[in-house]
């Protein structure tokens, strides 16, 4: 029979597997064909796994035997190249990890597997998740499925493009300052950055440990919700994973008041970048839609958010410089020979790390160095406290916040590579959320036409700590439009 | 202004060898980024505590016992790890000499 794979959802896959009207083998075959057809041009995958068929056949056998399908039975996933799958190559799109195989599996991978997910391959990203376009990958840029002269966004650009163009049903990404939401917005898919601590980071290659979270990238909000419910939860191997019950299933409508932070519509930062007018129009359309659905809309104020990106570019590189010291040419991956240990370090790290990674490591070393700590790092951590206070205050008045995900639609390849700061400003709307630790979702909301091409726009919804359910609740209303 | 000497020193601390042209480019980039983050100086942070984590976390302790469920104590993991050491001997990680004894 003919299958329309683009209209499949996780629920439909489950139903059709159970009724025998679709097999896991057919699903894998379909996505592998799509990858063959499209990925040569897009470069979303770094590797396609050869064992996906074996897993699919196991699943088909189990279902034939009469086993009830699990939550993600037969769902083909793409996995970002910084989430460990035991025995598979893992590289964070960096030369320094070339040839390295994961010696254990991430907890999220174990959880997906236990619910019947199939892994199609690992996806391209900015090196060590540092970037907003995948142009910092050591293995080439991932192109935007809607216009191949534009970026897919980053750092989880490969995962977002794969789902956006139908080369995977769903994907995992990681988000430190917007790395799930921005590419999701650029590729017209749903992306979730969970509450800090909601999902275990065990088996995620660390970038900035007080900010990193793993989250789903999916075609629909419902799919993203199902995946989130599988991967969430306390884990002994990540001591920052939170030991608390998340409100998720069978909730009743919790959101009544939606706040629109006025500062987000005037964040021009250095006169360099404001919100694109056409994108702003779409955001106000989303606001009007919610108003028409009976939500109360309130203008709110988050005055310290304008300092978020500056605080982020101190805190994040500081954590990066510590986390990436483990790549030393001694334990794994690339090694360059030298006459003593110091020379091995210097040469290995010079050859293995790309320009952006070096820039952040050295910036981190600078802000943490003696004499500068109070002026930079300590001050940034204090400003971070003030930014969080703003969110705490406003979440007393509103149930949810609505903002743009990114200041504009996908930009041209090469447009921002010469000036690192202009690339950093891409994350101006997403970075505050990571600093504060609250959850957020990017939901596709129509298109803006540029140079004759329709390019997707994303609306960002932000909920209080551990209230992901509100993101899904209102996200479904927005995507239903 | 970040001096050439400072960049050299930072590169050494970060254990990354830089060529002269890389040093120059990096000094300019860092200057640009630090110029931007300087806006934090506008904020009055007196009596504001440092926020070190996104959520309130406390130290979490466990008994100092081998837990076979943890991958750290999983033998096959060790095999996979050791097999990938750039240099090893009898299952031990081998490193280059730290001190030069040729002086």
């Amino acid at each position: 029979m003919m299958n329309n794979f683009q209209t499949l959802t996780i629920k439909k896959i489950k139903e059709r597997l159970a009724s025998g009207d679709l097999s896991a083998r057919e699903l894998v075959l379909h996505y592998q064909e799509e990858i063959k057809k499209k990925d040569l041009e897009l470069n979303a995958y770094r590797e396609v796994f050869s064992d996906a068929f074996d897993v699919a056949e196991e699943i088909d056998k189990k279902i034939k035997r009469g086993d009830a399908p699990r939550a993600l039975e037969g769902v083909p996933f793409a996995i970002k190249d910084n989430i460990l799958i035991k025995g598979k190559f893992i590289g964070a799109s960096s030369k320094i990890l070339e040839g390295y195989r994961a010696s254990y599996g991430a907890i999220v991978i174990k959880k997906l597997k236990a619910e019947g997910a199939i892994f199609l391959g690992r996806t391209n990203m900015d090196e060590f998740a540092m970037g907003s376009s995948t142009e910092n990958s050591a293995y080439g840029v991932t192109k935007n499925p809607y216009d191949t002269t534009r970026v897919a966004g980053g750092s989880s650009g490969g995962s977002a493009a794969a789902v956006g163009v139908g080369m995977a049903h769903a994907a995992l990404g990681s988000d430190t300052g917007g790395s799930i939401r921005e590419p999701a917005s650029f590729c017209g898919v749903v992306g979730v950055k969970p509450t800090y601590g909601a999902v275990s980071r065990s088996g995620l290659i660390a970038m900035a440990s007080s900010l990193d979270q793993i989250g789903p990238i999916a075609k629909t909000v419902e799919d993203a919700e199902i995946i989130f419910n599988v991967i969430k939860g306390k884990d002994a191997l990540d001591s920052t994973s939170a030991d608390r019950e998340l409100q998720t299933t069978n909730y009743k409508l919790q959101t009544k008041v939606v706040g629109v932070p006025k500062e987000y519509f005037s964040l021009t930062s250095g006169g360099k970048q404001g919100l694109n007018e056409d994108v702003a129009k779409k955001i106000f359309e989303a606001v009007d839609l919610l108003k028409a659905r009976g939500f109360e809309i309130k203008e709110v104020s988050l005055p310290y958010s304008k300092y978020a990106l500056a605080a982020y570019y101190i805190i994040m590189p500081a954590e990066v410089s510590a986390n990436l010291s483990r790549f030393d040419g001694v334990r794994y991956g690339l090694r360059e020979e030298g006459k003593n240990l110091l020379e091995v370090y210097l040469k290995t790290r010079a050859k293995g790390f790309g320009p952006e990674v070096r820039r952040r490591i050295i910036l981190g070393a600078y802000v943490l160095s003696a004499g500068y700590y109070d002026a930079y790092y300590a001050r940034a951590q204090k400003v971070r406290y003030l930014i969080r206070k703003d969110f705490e205050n406003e979440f007393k008045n509103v149930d949810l916040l609505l903002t743009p995900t990114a200041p504009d639609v996908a930009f041209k390849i090469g447009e921002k590579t010469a000036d690192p700061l202009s690339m950093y400003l891409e994350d101006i709307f997403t970075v505050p959320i990571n600093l504060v630790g609250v959850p957020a979702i990017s939901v596709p909301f129509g298109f803006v036409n540029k140079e004759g091409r329709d390019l997707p726009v994303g609306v960002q919804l932000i909920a209080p700590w551990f209230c992901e359910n509100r993101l899904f609740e209102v996200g479904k209303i927005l995507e239903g439009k | 202004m970040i001096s050439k000497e400072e960049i050299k020193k930072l590169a050494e601390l970060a254990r990354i060898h830089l060529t002269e042209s890389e040093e120059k480019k990096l000094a300019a980039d860092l200057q640009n980024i630090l110029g931007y983050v300087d806006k934090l100086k506008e904020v009055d942070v007196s009596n504001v505590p440092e926020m070190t984590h996104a959520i309130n976390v406390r130290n979490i302790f466990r008994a100092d016992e081998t837990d076979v469920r943890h991958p750290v104590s999983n033998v096959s993991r060790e095999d996979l790890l050791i097999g990938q050491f750039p240099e090893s001997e009898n299952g031990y990680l081998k490193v280059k000499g730290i001190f030069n004894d040729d002086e």
Side-chain angles (χ1 to χ4, degrees):
Chain A
M1 64 166 289
M2 279 294 288
N3 272 311
N4 188 352
F5 290 90
Q6 271 305 327
T7 60
L8 278 181
T9 61
I10 290 174
K11 269 193 181 161
K12 280 186 197 160
I13 289 175
K14 208 171 141 178
E15 281 168 21
R16 293 184 53 186
L17 284 175
S19 71
D21 158 56
L22 178 73
S23 69
R25 202 174 183 283
E26 283 174 279
L27 274 169
V28 169
L29 186 67
H30 165 76
Y31 285 108
Q32 287 187 342
E33 287 295 320
E34 290 299 298
I35 295 168
K36 263 185 217 146
K37 265 189 270 170
K38 297 169 179 167
D39 204 42
L40 215 55
E41 185 177 21
L42 295 177
N43 192 34
Y45 280 91
R46 285 212 49 215
E47 181 190 358
V48 178
F49 300 144
S50 55
D51 59 357
F53 264 124
D54 305 340
V55 180
E57 271 168 8
E58 283 297 310
I59 287 171
D60 287 336
K61 261 188 230 160
K62 282 182 73 172
I63 291 171
K64 260 206 187 119
R65 216 167 49 205
D67 289 12
R70 295 162 287 179
L72 299 172
E73 199 75 70
V75 178
F77 271 78
I79 304 295
K80 190 176 181 180
D81 192 25
N82 61 352
I83 300 171
L84 274 56
I85 305 176
K86 189 174 175 176
K88 302 276 189 214
F89 287 116
I90 181 88
S93 285
S94 176
K95 293 277 183 201
I96 210 160
L97 275 170
E98 199 151 279
Y100 181 68
R101 285 180 191 271
S103 57
Y104 66 101
I107 293 300
V108 290
I109 294 296
K110 289 184 181 163
K111 287 186 166 184
L112 290 186
K113 231 183 192 166
E115 291 297 336
I118 301 173
F119 305 122
L120 290 169
R122 59 192 170 105
T123 52
N124 194 27
M125 56 186 278
D126 286 290
E127 185 179 2
F128 285 105
M130 298 182 203
S132 314
S133 68
T134 71
E135 286 165 294
N136 295 330
S137 166
Y139 303 90
V141 64
T142 297
K143 292 173 180 163
N144 192 301
Y146 288 86
D147 177 353
T148 51
T149 67
R150 293 175 187 272
V151 300
S155 64
S156 313
S159 285
V163 176
V165 79
M167 293 194 294
H169 185 81
L172 288 186
S174 67
D175 191 315
T176 306
S179 279
I180 287 174
R181 290 159 287 158
E182 187 242 25
S185 157
F186 285 5
C187 294
V189 293
V190 176
V192 181
K193 198 292 284 183
T195 309
Y196 184 82
V199 176
S200 169
R201 293 178 294 113
S202 172
L204 169 71
I205 295 179
M207 174 187 162
S209 303
S210 82
L211 304 160
D212 298 342
Q213 269 291 286
I214 296 171
I217 293 175
K219 288 195 295 189
T220 67
V221 175
E222 183 191 71
D223 276 3
E225 182 180 17
I226 293 169
I227 299 164
F228 171 72
N229 283 333
V230 168
I231 61 175
K232 73 180 181 185
K234 171 75 183 161
D235 166 29
L237 294 176
D238 175 2
S239 60
T240 63
S241 66
D243 194 8
R244 60 183 284 179
E245 202 51 47
L246 270 73
Q247 307 164 309
T248 40
T249 41
N250 300 327
Y251 47 80
K252 53 180 192 293
L253 196 72
Q254 285 211 341
T255 313
K256 294 184 181 74
V257 187
V258 177
V260 180
K262 60 179 182 198
E263 289 84 3
Y264 274 66
F265 295 86
S266 58
L267 281 179
T268 50
S269 259
K272 284 213 171 178
Q273 188 153 8
L275 178 60
N276 173 282
E277 250 178 62
D278 294 327
V279 172
K281 257 185 226 157
K282 297 305 294 181
I283 303 307
F284 287 120
E285 255 178 58
V287 171
D288 288 342
L289 173 73
L290 293 185
K291 205 188 280 175
R293 291 295 189 89
F295 291 91
E296 186 190 337
I297 307 293
K298 239 187 200 168
E299 188 184 90
V300 300
S301 177
L302 302 165
Y304 285 106
S305 278
K306 69 172 178 222
Y307 299 107
L309 197 70
Y312 178 78
Y313 270 91
I314 292 172
I315 293 164
M316 175 274 295
E319 295 184 16
V320 160
S321 74
N323 272 332
L324 270 67
S325 61
R326 63 171 64 98
F327 303 104
D328 57 3
V330 170
R331 283 166 291 175
Y332 32 60
L334 179 78
R335 160 184 286 189
E336 287 291 296
E337 288 308 326
K339 64 177 190 293
N340 55 28
L341 191 61
L342 180 64
E343 211 178 278
V344 170
Y345 289 156
L346 289 169
K347 284 185 170 174
T348 301
R349 288 162 66 83
K351 190 168 179 200
F353 289 138
E356 180 62 22
V357 173
R358 294 186 205 184
R359 196 150 40 226
R360 294 197 194 184
I361 290 174
I362 288 176
L363 180 60
Y366 180 79
V367 298
L368 289 176
S369 56
Y372 293 115
Y373 180 89
D374 286 326
Y376 288 108
Y377 191 72
R379 176 169 284 267
Q381 296 279 57
K382 289 174 181 176
V383 173
R384 185 179 185 183
Y385 178 90
L386 294 169
I387 298 167
R388 184 179 68 179
K389 269 270 165 271
D390 277 352
F391 278 78
E392 277 173 4
N393 291 340
E394 287 299 2
F395 277 131
K396 285 177 196 146
N397 306 321
V398 302
D399 302 311
L400 200 69
L401 294 166
L402 186 151
T403 76
T405 304
D408 206 338
V409 292
F411 50 90
K412 292 267 187 186
I413 294 168
E415 191 181 322
K416 295 176 194 283
T417 42
D419 176 9
L421 192 56
S422 73
M423 185 75 85
Y424 299 168
L425 288 166
E426 266 309 301
D427 297 329
I428 198 147
F429 299 128
T430 46
V431 150
I433 283 78
N434 298 73
L435 287 174
V436 170
V438 288
I441 190 171
S442 178
V443 182
F445 194 79
F447 298 86
V448 160
N449 193 286
K450 275 210 174 167
E451 297 172 358
R453 297 258 187 175
D454 280 336
L455 301 169
V457 174
V459 171
Q460 177 174 246
L461 301 171
I462 309 159
W465 296 263
F466 300 103
C467 294
E468 275 82 355
N469 55 333
R470 296 184 196 172
L471 305 177
F472 302 131
E473 174 182 282
V474 179
K476 284 173 193 165
I477 294 171
L478 288 182
E479 81 176 342
K481 181 228 143 195
Chain B
M1 197 66 200
I2 297 190
S3 67
K4 231 172 113 179
E5 286 65 39
E6 263 181 304
I7 291 286
K8 270 198 199 321
K9 178 77 192 149
L10 288 169
E12 199 190 309
L13 285 172
R15 300 286 189 261
I16 298 174
H17 173 77
L18 296 176
T19 64
E20 199 143 322
S21 69
E22 285 169 341
E23 281 172 6
K24 238 172 119 179
K25 167 89 171 76
L26 203 61
D29 288 343
L30 253 52
Q31 200 54 52
N32 200 12
I33 298 163
L34 291 171
Y36 176 78
V37 303
D38 248 5
K39 69 198 255 176
L40 292 181
K41 291 192 178 135
E42 297 166 15
V43 185
D44 179 8
V45 291
S46 43
N47 303 318
V48 176
E50 280 183 48
M51 176 180 162
T52 53
H53 264 92
I55 50 170
N56 292 322
V57 284
R58 274 163 297 146
N59 271 336
I60 293 167
F61 298 99
R62 64 171 179 84
D64 188 18
E65 291 161 357
T66 306
D67 183 345
V68 289
R69 289 169 308 168
H70 286 197
V72 178
S73 51
N74 187 322
V75 177
S76 69
R77 176 190 184 230
E78 284 174 0
D79 289 345
L80 198 48
L81 261 184
I82 292 165
Q84 296 191 87
F85 289 164
E87 208 178 343
S88 66
E89 205 174 297
N90 303 327
Y92 291 101
L93 175 65
K94 203 172 168 186
V95 296
K96 275 268 171 322
I98 295 167
F99 303 106
N100 293 323
D101 48 10
D102 52 25
E103 45 207 86

